[in-house]
Amino acid sequence: MSAAPYFWVVIPAAGVGSRMRADRPKQYLQLAGRSILEHTLDCFIGHPGLRGLVVSLAGDDPYWPSLRCASDPRIQRADGGVERADSVLGGLRTLNELGADTDDWVLVHDAARPNLMRSDLDKLLAELATDPVGGLLAVPVRDTLKRAGSDGRVRETIDRSVIWQAYTPQMFRFGALQNALAGALAAEVAITDEASAIEWAGQSPRLIEGRADNLKITRPEDLQWLEQRWKS
Ligand code: CTP
Ligand code: MG
């Protein structure tokens, strides 16, 4: 392991949170007295390696200005877009204006993952510091996996030892990530995370095992689970 490198951060926060079925996008729901987004930002702000951080927001976002962190000079606002990849590209454009260089590391982390531990962030940074490609936090699947047929019956059991769940942060070089995301979008390839854009560009991101509790708040029960956990 090498010493942690310096890095930039993009937090895509322009989603609507349809699966949460709440009255506002999930990153603005309350968790232990503050918004989910503020907890998410906490893990990065004040980190000694952090060069700059941008939050990609929907153009008509009425919630951001009322957060205390909106006036924090260490946090910049960027333009979100229709898809998550558009929001990340918007963030990269703003990082470019802030002085990010082609070979600088950029970490992309979901606004909806408020339980990232500093130890996992530091592990990712240290493990990938000298990696030629970059990589992501990920978790080996725990359950037995089944492939379903169209009749709703099991076709086969899949070898779970080679299956991982992709988490964030995902960490790549600024120039490589920007090219891969822009190229994949132009080619109309469906990409759901930064790693899949890098894979589309022909490279293999490294999997760094992280904590399973760095979960993405997706459905109401995820938020209830985290609330209970933080209470105890
Ligand atoms: N995101 C974004 N821009 C988009 C879509 C998503 O910045 N156009 C962000 C979300 O705000 C979230 C992260 O990407 O922090 C992960 O996306 P997801 O969990 O799918 O969030 P939503 O798209 O908001 O939720 P849903 O899919 O349930 O509508
Ligand atoms: Mg979504």
Side-chain angles (χ1 to χ4, degrees):
M1 262 196 215
S2 323
Y6 72 82
F7 61 96
W8 304 85
V9 173
V10 174
I11 306 287
V16 295
S18 54
R19 286 169 289 182
M20 261 330 261
R21 302 188 308 272
D23 66 345
R24 64 193 64 196
K26 58 192 178 184
Q27 55 273 25
Y28 295 113
L29 295 175
Q30 294 287 301
L31 170 63
R34 284 197 309 159
S35 67
I36 287 176
L37 179 54
E38 287 170 289
H39 290 294
T40 303
L41 292 168
D42 258 3
C43 193
F44 297 98
I45 294 301
H47 191 289
L50 181 67
R51 277 292 157 99
L53 181 150
V54 301
V55 183
S56 304
L57 301 171
D60 57 355
D61 182 331
Y63 303 102
W64 171 258
S66 61
L67 299 188
R68 214 178 317 144
C69 59
S71 57
D72 187 324
R74 297 168 295 184
I75 302 173
Q76 308 296 316
R77 192 182 167 147
D79 293 329
V82 178
E83 302 292 337
R84 184 196 140 96
D86 301 307
S87 299
V88 175
L89 272 172
L92 294 179
R93 267 196 302 278
T94 302
L95 285 189
N96 189 40
E97 289 161 15
L98 295 174
D101 282 328
T102 303
D103 290 332
D104 286 353
W105 287 114
V106 177
L107 272 63
V108 180
H109 183 61
D110 293 323
R113 282 187 203 274
N115 202 36
L116 171 65
M117 302 281 152
R118 183 61 81 84
S119 55
D120 256 16
L121 171 59
D122 285 337
K123 181 180 181 186
L124 181 76
L125 288 165
E127 296 264 1
L128 296 178
T130 58
D131 195 274
V133 179
L136 61 149
L137 285 180
V139 176
V141 295
R142 296 171 170 191
D143 300 323
T144 299
L145 295 177
K146 307 291 188 189
R147 187 186 307 283
S150 54
D151 58 355
R153 288 180 176 275
V154 175
R155 275 289 139 76
E156 61 170 331
T157 300
I158 298 167
D159 175 11
R160 80 167 167 211
S161 68
V162 295
I163 308 288
W164 292 62
Q165 287 181 279
Y167 277 30
T168 72
Q170 304 203 354
M171 169 170 163
F172 297 104
R173 303 275 180 192
F174 177 82
L177 180 58
Q178 198 170 33
N179 288 339
L181 283 170
L185 279 183
E188 295 182 10
V189 182
I191 42 167
T192 50
D193 66 351
E194 293 60 59
S196 43
I198 297 287
E199 292 155 46
W200 173 82
Q203 298 203 286
S204 299
R206 240 181 90 201
L207 295 161
I208 305 296
E209 185 167 351
R211 294 173 58 111
D213 60 5
N214 174 20
L215 87 168
K216 189 177 68 162
I217 307 280
T218 303
R219 297 192 176 81
E221 60 266 33
D222 302 327
L223 185 53
Q224 284 158 15
W225 183 85
L226 206 53
E227 246 160 14
Q228 284 308 319
R229 203 153 149 180
W230 283 19
K231 259 187 221 153
S232 55

